[in-house]
Amino acid sequence: MKVLRTFVTHDFLICLFLTVLAAIPRLVSLDTIPLGFHGDEAWTGLDALQILSHGLISPYVGSATGQPTGPLYLTAIIIKIFGPTIFSVRLSMAIFGIVTVSVFYILARLFFNKSVSFILTLAFGFSLFHLHFSRLGFMVIASPLFTELTILFLYLYEKKKHLLYFFSSAVALGTGMYSYNTFILFVGIVLAYVVAKSFTSSERIYRPTYLIMYISVFLIIAFPLVTLIVLKPNFYFGHHYTVSIFNSNKYLVAPLWEKINIILQNSATKIFHFIFGGRPDGVDGYGAYHNLNVSYLVLFLIGILIVLRSKRAIYLLMGISTILIILLNSLTIDGDYRRNLLILPFIFIIVGIAVQYIYSSFPIRKKHFIFLIMLGLVVIESMINLYTYFYKMPSYNNTEFVFKPDQVETLLAAQKLLRTNEPVYFYSQIWSCQYETVRFLYGNRRCIDKSLEFTSTQACSDITSPSTVVLLNGYTPLLSNLKTRYPQGWEKFVYNKSNSQVGIIFQL
């Protein structure tokens, strides 16, 4: 309680200010930047609708090649309030991102003074990496929150010697299992840390009895998912198998020396691009530009050297977690950025260790001057990130390739015109009626595929009235045929921001 009182007295207003500041770029134009709606975002909405229909959902689902379902309960609440929209899905994940920034400040304050914590939280909240994933309907954004909480409570236990913090850490660790697939790597590292401390530490706070209780609390919280892992390992680890470099065809058929070369090349490439960016991801639309700002990267390298020489176990835990998770995820295919998102708070804490070292190297009379320099640096880097995200990324061709704005804009335009109980006849070269984005946006409405890519019944003669016909991609020339057959119908042309026609809606 003393820790809480101290925070409310000294830091609440600062934390609130930083939270509001971080919320602004995570909420503005949320449903239009990025323009479009990825299929995995649609899966978040569809699975949340399952919760609203049935009250519960399996702790792990096969959607988006397999993922835990914990964050879906917040999505379900938001959809219940605002309806099943792109804004609702993204808002639920934006909330996780905003709360993560708040908790980051609290975590930073355990290690640094107010000035350093303020600068760090500002840098973290406006990092391009965290900002991008805070604005998507991908559940991965929930994972950093639980890595933060796990470390926060574990450190408070070591500092205050109160068992409530110890078991709160186990609760956070168990809850994090439901956030994202790679969180299980962090679980292994933390449990190894607690085991090692229990058998090597001279402090009574890490008794073997407490170790058993810690693991028990973790297992109780994670019990539904752990049970599923034990009973259906192939289902749970199916996603891991799919993305592992060891299961790629290229690796499986290669001789031993070539296998080693594949591993080294894949790891080096993934680590390089995670650090420097420059490799667009075809799933999440991230990576075309920088990932970590150059100044933060330099400070991180300084900080990691300090951490590896440090005798503070909690610093080593964050440092080793960061290094190990980056290395382990380098053994996967694609996903250069999102799989490492859970250790982003640790990267910035390590940056803070370097900042604190520099800050403490100057006499007291110069600290205000150093603070202003550091603050100015962070403000500049934050402005660069905001400019990159809101002005450069939306028009980048990879962003449009991933989120399919033309398709989605036409679907939304048709959605506004749909009448009760009428079917939708759907012509598209890349999506069918069964594609998750179409299913989420059109709900239970009857959708009939007419594209040759998905059906053999393309003829316009069997379209009934009243109905809505959606023409996309190469099917827009069918409008003349439809107007000839159904002269009573009328058309609406859909244009993108460049004023280019992207789709046609025909109603009869």
Side-chain angles (χ1 to χ4, degrees):
M1 292 301 294
K2 185 179 179 181
V3 173
L4 180 61
R5 286 197 300 270
T6 302
F7 171 76
V8 171
T9 304
H10 297 95
D11 292 278
F12 176 75
L13 290 179
I14 297 175
C15 186
L16 179 62
F17 172 75
L18 289 167
T19 302
V20 172
L21 208 59
I24 295 170
R26 283 165 174 77
L27 298 178
V28 64
S29 302
L30 189 58
D31 55 348
T32 56
I33 300 178
L35 188 61
F37 198 51
H38 190 277
D40 288 356
E41 295 183 278
W43 272 123
T44 300
L46 289 170
D47 288 336
L49 290 172
Q50 288 294 311
I51 293 174
L52 292 175
S53 298
H54 302 99
L56 289 171
I57 196 169
S58 171
Y60 194 87
V61 292
S63 310
T65 71
Q67 55 187 346
T69 58
L72 292 175
Y73 288 91
L74 177 59
T75 308
I77 293 171
I78 299 300
I79 287 178
K80 182 71 173 177
I81 297 171
F82 296 104
T85 64
I86 295 174
F87 175 80
S88 297
V89 172
R90 290 181 175 174
L91 175 62
S92 63
M93 297 303 123
I95 290 172
F96 276 107
I98 294 165
V99 173
T100 300
V101 175
S102 302
V103 175
F104 180 84
Y105 177 78
I106 299 170
L107 179 64
R109 281 294 283 123
L110 296 180
F111 305 114
F112 313 116
N113 60 34
K114 286 183 184 179
S115 298
V116 173
S117 299
F118 181 88
I119 291 170
L120 273 186
T121 307
L122 199 63
F124 176 77
F126 285 87
S127 64
L128 186 63
F129 192 13
H130 195 262
L131 177 62
H132 177 75
F133 286 96
S134 295
R135 294 177 54 88
L136 302 181
F138 292 174
M139 292 188 285
V140 62
I141 193 60
S143 59
L145 175 61
F146 296 102
T147 56
E148 286 179 345
L149 289 171
T150 301
I151 295 297
L152 187 151
F153 288 123
L154 196 58
Y155 181 67
L156 281 175
Y157 172 63
E158 293 182 354
K159 191 175 181 181
K160 302 297 181 181
K161 314 296 191 291
H162 198 300
L163 279 175
L164 177 63
Y165 295 128
F166 193 51
F167 298 132
S168 295
S169 174
V171 170
L173 190 67
T175 306
M177 280 284 288
Y178 300 98
S179 63
Y180 190 64
N181 291 303
T182 54
F183 195 88
I184 196 171
L185 301 176
F186 180 66
V187 169
I189 295 168
V190 172
L191 291 181
Y193 172 84
V194 176
V195 169
K197 291 282 284 188
S198 295
F199 289 102
T200 61
S201 177
S202 59
E203 297 181 75
R204 291 168 59 86
I205 62 169
Y206 275 107
R207 296 174 181 173
T209 304
Y210 294 166
L211 166 64
I212 295 171
M213 295 171 68
Y214 187 92
I215 295 174
S216 298
V217 171
F218 163 76
L219 289 174
I220 290 170
I221 298 299
F223 181 76
L225 186 52
V226 171
T227 303
L228 184 143
I229 294 171
V230 172
L231 297 178
K232 299 180 179 180
N234 291 334
F235 175 54
Y236 177 79
F237 289 107
H239 181 92
H240 300 76
Y241 297 149
T242 302
V243 302
S244 172
I245 188 69
F246 302 113
N247 292 320
S248 66
N249 291 330
K250 183 180 179 181
Y251 177 85
L252 291 173
V253 300
L256 179 60
W257 64 269
E258 184 63 25
K259 291 180 189 290
I260 296 171
N261 186 50
I262 290 171
I263 292 170
L264 292 176
Q265 282 192 351
N266 189 77
S267 298
T269 301
K270 286 181 71 67
I271 292 170
F272 177 86
H273 287 294
F274 174 73
I275 294 172
F276 297 106
R279 188 187 192 186
D281 192 291
V283 172
D284 53 49
Y286 185 69
Y289 303 96
H290 62 276
N291 183 21
L292 301 175
N293 300 74
V294 175
S295 60
Y296 301 161
L297 177 59
V298 171
L299 290 168
F300 171 77
L301 293 175
I302 296 170
I304 202 71
L305 291 175
I306 297 171
V307 165
L308 295 177
R309 295 177 57 188
S310 173
K311 294 183 180 179
R312 296 186 71 175
I314 204 73
Y315 278 4
L316 285 171
L317 174 57
M318 288 188 285
I320 290 170
S321 295
T322 301
I323 294 169
L324 278 181
I325 288 175
I326 290 174
L327 288 175
L328 289 170
N329 284 328
S330 74
L331 300 175
T332 63
I333 301 167
D334 300 323
D336 297 351
Y337 311 99
R338 62 183 178 276
R339 294 190 190 116
N340 290 322
L341 187 62
L342 75 166
I343 46 93
L344 188 62
F346 302 159
I347 290 175
F348 276 89
I349 291 295
I350 293 168
V351 167
I353 292 170
V355 172
Q356 179 80 358
Y357 175 79
I358 296 169
Y359 196 73
S360 61
S361 300
F362 288 84
I364 294 176
R365 65 180 181 277
K366 293 185 177 180
K367 288 190 185 298
H368 293 301
F369 180 66
I370 299 303
F371 171 77
L372 290 175
I373 291 176
M374 291 288 186
L375 180 61
L377 174 66
V378 169
V379 169
I380 291 171
E381 296 286 31
S382 298
M383 295 300 290
I384 291 171
N385 292 339
L386 290 173
Y387 177 78
T388 301
Y389 185 81
F390 286 101
Y391 292 96
K392 294 173 72 175
M393 285 179 63
S395 59
Y396 187 67
N397 55 8
N398 183 67
T399 306
E400 296 183 354
F401 169 78
V402 169
F403 295 98
K404 300 291 188 295
D406 293 352
Q407 298 270 124
V408 174
E409 284 293 284
T410 305
L411 287 169
L412 291 173
Q415 188 186 57
K416 295 176 182 178
L417 299 173
L418 294 178
R419 296 161 295 203
T420 306
N421 299 323
E422 73 172 8
V424 176
Y425 292 93
F426 196 60
Y427 291 85
S428 170
Q429 292 175 316
I430 62 173
W431 287 352
S432 75
C433 286
Q434 296 306 307
Y435 187 67
E436 44 270 22
T437 300
V438 181
R439 289 169 53 201
F440 178 73
L441 293 178
Y442 283 171
N444 296 323
R445 187 173 295 276
R446 185 183 172 207
C447 182
I448 303 168
D449 280 313
K450 301 294 288 181
S451 315
L452 286 174
E453 288 80 2
F454 304 104
T455 182
S456 58
T457 58
Q458 186 195 346
C460 299
S461 57
D462 59 352
I463 293 176
T464 60
S465 178
S467 63
T468 296
V469 182
V470 176
L471 302 174
L472 284 160
N473 318 126
Y475 286 101
T476 52
L478 285 178
L479 177 63
S480 59
N481 194 350
L482 287 168
K483 292 177 71 173
T484 300
R485 288 183 176 275
Y486 309 100
Q488 75 278 20
W490 63 276
E491 70 274 10
K492 174 181 175 61
F493 297 98
V494 182
Y495 298 91
N496 60 18
K497 290 185 176 180
S498 302
N499 208 33
S500 299
Q501 182 183 302
V502 295
I504 300 173
I505 302 161
F506 185 77
Q507 281 199 317
L508 64 152

